[in-house]
Amino acid sequence: TGSRRKRARARHKPCALKELEVSVSELGLGYESDETVLFRYCSGTCEAAVRSYDLSLKSMRSRRKIKKEKVRARPCCRPLAYDDDVSFLDAYNRYYTVNELSAKECGCV
Amino acid sequence: TGSRRKRARARHKPCALKELEVSVSELGLGYESDETVLFRYCSGTCEAAVRSYDLSLKSMRSRRKIKKEKVRARPCCRPLAYDDDVSFLDAYNRYYTVNELSAKECGCV
């Protein structure tokens, strides 16, 4: 049906930068503050970014040449750079600065 | 027992560059050749590399502020750079060059 196709399409969008306006409390970092911040994050798939490295790593794993190791044989949609630090006053008038909170640029790594 | 602890330790090694000497055929890229190549890959965990970004992304997902999207809320142990191209003669005396095959440097991205 249309909605299932729409949901499927949502799952297969290429890796890209997206943004949400949220309150500092909603960041889930333990701060209490109604101040709002722009939270930018990386979302989407990296299907087009598969390299020979990924194919060979998968092959080594399936041939048990690599065993019981934590390896990632697919690219990750992740930040390549982060926005500047974010500062805010919490509900108790204390000043905080958080770094590497919001993504500036995304890529398939 | 010792071996279980040893296996557990193997699983929790920090992200690092490792290497294997393999034949081109074992790369699983469809080439047939007995020539050997050095295959370097990234293996290990990124537990120490968690940023505010990851904590907030997890929080947004669990609060359903981000739904039905492919996001990665943990760093990936992946190549930051790749070795130079690899060239070889296959079993039929044809010459091939493969790029982005072997990792040169690893990191938690």
Side-chain angles (χ1 to χ4, degrees):
Chain A
T1 65
S3 68
R4 199 172 57 193
R5 204 173 301 132
K6 215 179 84 189
R7 271 204 312 277
R9 253 204 319 275
R11 286 273 167 91
H12 288 278
K13 282 203 181 132
C15 178
L17 188 64
K18 302 191 76 176
E19 59 183 49
L20 273 175
E21 185 105 9
V22 293
S23 73
V24 166
S25 306
E26 286 171 312
L27 290 174
L29 298 176
Y31 303 109
E32 269 180 64
S33 171
D34 298 335
E35 282 197 37
T36 57
V37 292
L38 189 64
F39 177 69
R40 302 205 296 173
Y41 61 100
C42 301
S43 169
T45 63
C46 287
E47 278 141 17
V50 173
R51 301 171 169 91
S52 300
Y53 172 83
D54 301 304
L55 301 174
S56 297
L57 193 49
K58 256 183 219 147
S59 161
M60 300 284 150
R61 211 174 28 188
S62 55
R63 295 164 194 248
R64 316 276 305 146
K65 289 201 77 86
I66 292 175
K67 283 176 283 190
K68 294 187 185 71
E69 284 184 53
K70 268 188 85 68
V71 295
R72 168 82 184 190
R74 276 178 300 120
C76 290
C77 176
R78 288 283 298 177
L80 301 178
Y82 291 87
D83 280 328
D84 296 336
D85 299 357
V86 171
S87 299
F88 54 86
L89 272 178
D90 77 353
Y92 310 98
N93 252 343
R94 287 176 305 202
Y95 195 71
Y96 288 97
T97 297
V98 178
N99 61 11
E100 295 192 323
L101 170 64
S102 181
K104 183 157 79 174
E105 199 195 336
C106 300
C108 288
V109 183
Chain B
T1 66
S3 68
R4 199 173 57 193
R5 205 172 300 131
K6 215 179 85 187
R7 272 203 314 276
R9 255 204 319 272
R11 287 270 168 91
H12 288 278
K13 282 200 180 137
C15 178
L17 188 64
K18 302 192 75 177
E19 58 185 46
L20 273 177
E21 185 105 8
V22 292
S23 73
V24 166
S25 304
E26 287 170 311
L27 289 174
L29 299 176
Y31 302 109
E32 268 179 63
S33 171
D34 299 331
E35 281 197 38
T36 58
V37 292
L38 189 63
F39 176 70
R40 302 204 296 173
Y41 62 100
C42 301
S43 170
T45 64
C46 287
E47 278 142 18
V50 173
R51 299 172 169 92
S52 301
Y53 171 82
D54 302 302
L55 302 175
S56 296
L57 192 50
K58 255 182 220 149
S59 161
M60 300 284 149
R61 208 174 33 187
S62 55
R63 295 165 195 249
R64 316 279 301 150
K65 290 204 74 95
I66 293 175
K67 284 176 284 190
K68 294 190 186 67
E69 285 183 53
K70 266 183 89 63
V71 295
R72 169 83 184 189
R74 276 178 299 120
C76 289
C77 176
R78 287 284 298 176
L80 301 179
Y82 290 88
D83 280 329
D84 295 337
D85 299 357
V86 172
S87 298
F88 54 86
L89 273 179
D90 78 353
Y92 310 99
N93 252 342
R94 287 177 304 206
Y95 195 71
Y96 289 97
T97 296
V98 177
N99 63 11
E100 294 192 323
L101 170 65
S102 181
K104 182 157 78 176
E105 198 195 334
C106 300
C108 289
V109 182

